[in-house]
Amino acid sequence: MRNLLKLLISPTDEQEALETILGGADIVDVKNPKEGPLGANFPWIIKKIRQITPQNIEVSCTVGDIPNLPGSTSLAALGAASTGANYIKTSLFGLSNKKDAVFLMQNVVKAAKDYNPKIKIVVAGYADAHRINSVNPMLVPSIASEAGCEIAMLDTAVKDGKTLFDHLTYEQLKMFVDTTHQYGLHAALAGSLRKEQLAPLCKLNVDFIGVRSAACTNNDRLNGRISRRAVSELVSIVKNAQIELNKQR
């Protein structure tokens, strides 16, 4: 049996973080959706959320949807590392080929881990990469491995109501997760996921599932607010799905 997967809920401020914690999320994933799918929040907000989050609950943060600027991105990663976050997520939004992606992520890893070797680095590609001329999503596991990251992730770049499943088939997602595990890394999936899509994802043996929209009022990632009731429902769905899977094994 694999380790139980972790559910990331993505608050934008302290109040949403409290709702996320009280709802039972495994990871408080701080971001700023107004600046993009993996938009970065202010360092003082991330620090404050880390301070109010119990130590047994992990915190992650993003460095934004950055262009191909390895120096700027590595400097942003160092800033993110200083907030006390357990995970730092860097997207491949502005990267169009594997070589550039590996080089950028190698520098992100160095910048963050020179500050704190325990920090885990997440490299996030996009299931709809063709819409923004970004790196092929199926290359993300090998990019993560070559760059020294711990986690390979998929999200969606264009937030227009379409979900992860609108861009990749279940079989492609399974291949992504299996390939990531073959590299000895952890796999994460996100992308405007609806609550009814969580249980099918659990069957993939994915390690992390990331959600914001489904945890917000009116399923609105930009104008809605995270509620503990919605978070609790998502947590229950994931736990029940894992229980059923373990019964079948």
Side-chain angles (χ1 to χ4, degrees):
M1 182 177 67
R2 290 187 58 81
N3 292 332
L4 294 180
L5 73 85
K6 295 182 178 182
L7 182 64
L8 292 77
I9 303 294
S10 302
T12 62
D13 55 35
E14 295 171 47
Q15 185 56 48
E16 283 196 332
L18 287 173
E19 293 292 305
T20 296
I21 294 164
L22 293 172
D26 299 299
I27 299 177
V28 180
D29 177 49
V30 190
K31 65 170 59 171
N32 178 11
K34 292 181 180 179
E35 291 194 5
L38 287 181
N41 214 316
F42 298 101
W44 48 89
I45 291 179
I46 302 168
K47 285 183 179 181
K48 185 60 178 179
I49 289 176
R50 176 65 275 183
Q51 290 169 359
I52 66 174
T53 301
Q55 286 302 307
N56 64 316
I57 299 177
E58 295 177 308
V59 171
S60 67
C61 68
T62 69
V63 297
D65 295 308
I66 42 81
N68 184 16
L69 297 173
S72 297
T73 308
S74 60
L75 188 61
L78 175 60
S82 73
T83 65
N86 305 96
Y87 301 85
I88 295 175
K89 291 195 294 182
T90 303
S91 83
L92 300 178
F93 195 94
L95 286 299
S96 60
N97 65 76
K98 180 181 176 181
K99 181 179 178 181
D100 287 346
V102 169
F103 181 73
L104 182 140
M105 291 309 305
Q106 285 174 334
N107 285 282
V108 165
V109 169
K110 177 174 174 52
K113 290 184 178 289
D114 278 354
Y115 182 88
N116 179 1
K118 294 182 179 179
I119 287 179
K120 298 179 179 66
I121 307 300
V122 184
V123 54
Y126 292 102
D128 55 345
H130 62 283
R131 303 174 83 183
I132 58 168
N133 192 32
S134 186
V135 179
N136 184 331
M138 304 311 288
L139 293 177
V140 176
S142 62
I143 292 170
S145 177
E146 291 182 35
C149 305
E150 285 83 7
I151 301 161
M153 181 177 188
L154 287 183
D155 203 328
T156 52
V158 182
K159 303 297 184 180
D160 58 356
K162 293 184 177 180
T163 77
L164 183 69
F165 286 97
D166 289 308
H167 302 291
L168 294 176
T169 66
Y170 189 84
E171 289 70 26
Q172 287 174 312
L173 294 173
K174 186 177 189 308
M175 182 183 298
F176 176 88
V177 173
D178 289 346
T179 301
T180 300
H181 289 160
Q182 288 166 10
Y183 280 111
L185 308 176
H186 294 294
L189 296 173
S192 301
L193 296 170
R194 304 187 186 108
K195 63 181 181 180
E196 62 269 18
Q197 295 174 323
L198 300 188
L201 285 182
C202 292
K203 296 179 182 179
L204 297 174
N205 283 330
V206 65
D207 303 288
F208 303 88
I209 294 177
V211 178
R212 174 166 172 81
S213 298
C216 288
T217 51
N218 300 318
N219 289 301
D220 187 341
R221 65 186 295 274
L222 285 178
N223 302 308
R225 298 288 292 172
I226 290 176
S227 74
R228 71 189 73 177
R229 178 179 296 180
V231 173
S232 179
E233 181 181 6
L234 298 174
V235 169
S236 295
I237 290 171
V238 169
K239 287 184 177 178
N240 289 336
Q242 291 181 98
I243 290 171
E244 289 302 312
L245 286 172
N246 289 333
K247 287 179 180 178
Q248 298 170 16
R249 292 170 178 164

